[in-house]
């Protein structure tokens, strides 16, 4: 179940969608970008930002937000999936064991639904965020739209997005920080379960 969540959450958002803007975050000082917090500031020890142009840096931020959202869903999926394993409503109680093994146990027909759902979601995100391949130069693959704010897929069903720019940046920073923590957490979950074959909840309950 956790692996399913990890795959299918690539276009889902835990935080509200970002509003479309005509400017990019690069118009501000690098240390003022959302996600840059004291005392570290803009943390880029390998210098990726220094080597990137504006378009590339925006793609980096789009990728970070998307992966963070997937990881947040996956972290919850690990814990919930292991908590309800063996329940009758969950594929007739056939899904058991550590979360990393759940996806391999689902019926084959479910994979078709999964692939179609992920493909449709990713196609939608690509159309929203990126310029059509036929409209960009060969040396500019994956160019983002000028009016696209990284992470904005138009998904804010609860209307949580702040109207105030300062509050908006605070919320963006919170999403980035939670996503970064979730990426580290899910990597740790997978490494732990691969090491000894025990679920995360089993570890927590035995500690």
């Amino acid at each position: 179940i956790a692996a399913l969540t990890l795959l299918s959450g690539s276009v889902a958002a835990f935080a509200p969608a970002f509003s479309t803007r005509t400017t990019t975050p690069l118009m501000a000082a690098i240390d003022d970008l959302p996600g840059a917090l004291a005392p570290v500031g803009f943390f880029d020890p390998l210098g990726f930002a220094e080597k990137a142009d504006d378009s590339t840096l925006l793609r980096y931020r789009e990728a970070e937000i998307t992966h963070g959202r997937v990881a947040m869903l996956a972290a919850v999926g690990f814990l919930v999936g292991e908590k309800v394993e063996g329940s009758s409503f969950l594929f007739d109680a056939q899904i058991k064991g550590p979360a990393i093994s759940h996806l391999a146990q689902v019926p084959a027909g479910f994979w078709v639904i999964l692939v179609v759902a992920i493909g449709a979601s990713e196609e939608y995100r690509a159309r929203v965020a990126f310029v059509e391949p036929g409209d960009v130069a060969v040396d500019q693959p994956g160019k983002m739209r000028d009016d696209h704010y990284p992470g904005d897929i138009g998904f804010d069903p609860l209307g949580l997005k702040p109207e105030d720019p300062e509050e908006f940046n605070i919320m963006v920073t919170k999403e980035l920080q939670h996503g970064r923590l979730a990426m580290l957490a899910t990597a740790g979950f997978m490494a732990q379960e691969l090491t000894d074959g025990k679920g995360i909840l089993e570890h927590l309950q035995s500690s």
Side-chain angles (χ1 to χ4, degrees):
I1 297 303
L4 166 61
T5 306
L6 182 63
L7 288 172
S8 63
S10 62
V11 295
F14 262 23
F18 304 134
S19 62
T20 300
R21 297 183 175 184
T22 57
T23 59
T24 74
L26 302 181
M27 293 182 179
I30 196 74
D31 285 331
D32 292 331
L33 287 177
L37 297 175
V40 177
F42 187 79
F43 185 70
D44 183 26
L46 299 181
F48 287 115
E50 296 177 0
K51 305 170 186 176
D53 56 20
D54 286 8
S55 179
T56 300
L57 192 54
L58 285 174
R59 290 202 305 273
Y60 287 165
R61 178 49 59 89
E62 174 82 12
E64 180 181 21
I65 292 175
T66 301
H67 284 91
R69 290 169 176 172
V70 174
M72 285 188 281
L73 289 170
V76 174
F78 264 93
L79 303 178
V80 173
E82 292 181 3
K83 181 65 176 179
V84 301
E85 68 177 27
S87 300
S88 59
F89 73 90
L90 198 63
F91 297 106
D92 198 24
Q94 297 179 12
I95 310 300
K96 300 179 181 179
I100 57 173
S101 68
H102 286 184
L103 191 59
Q105 301 176 54
V106 300
F110 187 77
W111 279 91
V112 176
I113 299 174
L114 180 63
V115 171
V116 171
I118 293 175
S121 299
E122 283 298 284
E123 181 185 13
Y124 171 77
R125 187 176 71 88
R127 290 183 179 277
V128 170
F130 299 96
V131 178
E132 293 289 340
D135 296 333
V136 297
V138 176
D139 61 347
Q140 292 182 313
K143 182 179 180 181
M144 294 183 64
R145 298 183 183 278
D146 292 336
D147 61 351
H148 176 70
Y149 190 85
D152 179 9
I153 57 173
F155 183 75
D156 183 21
L158 299 180
L160 299 177
K161 181 182 68 64
E163 296 294 335
D164 180 73
E166 184 175 351
E167 292 182 2
F168 172 81
N169 285 336
I170 291 174
M171 181 164 283
V172 173
T173 296
K174 288 180 179 179
E175 181 182 27
L176 284 165
Q177 294 297 90
H178 290 145
R180 291 163 179 170
L181 178 60
M183 285 188 278
L184 292 173
T186 52
F189 287 174
M190 288 185 282
Q192 183 64 62
E193 293 193 351
L194 285 170
T195 299
D196 57 17
K198 296 181 180 179
I200 298 303
L201 288 183
E202 184 178 355
H203 279 284
L204 294 175
Q205 293 168 353
S206 62
S207 61

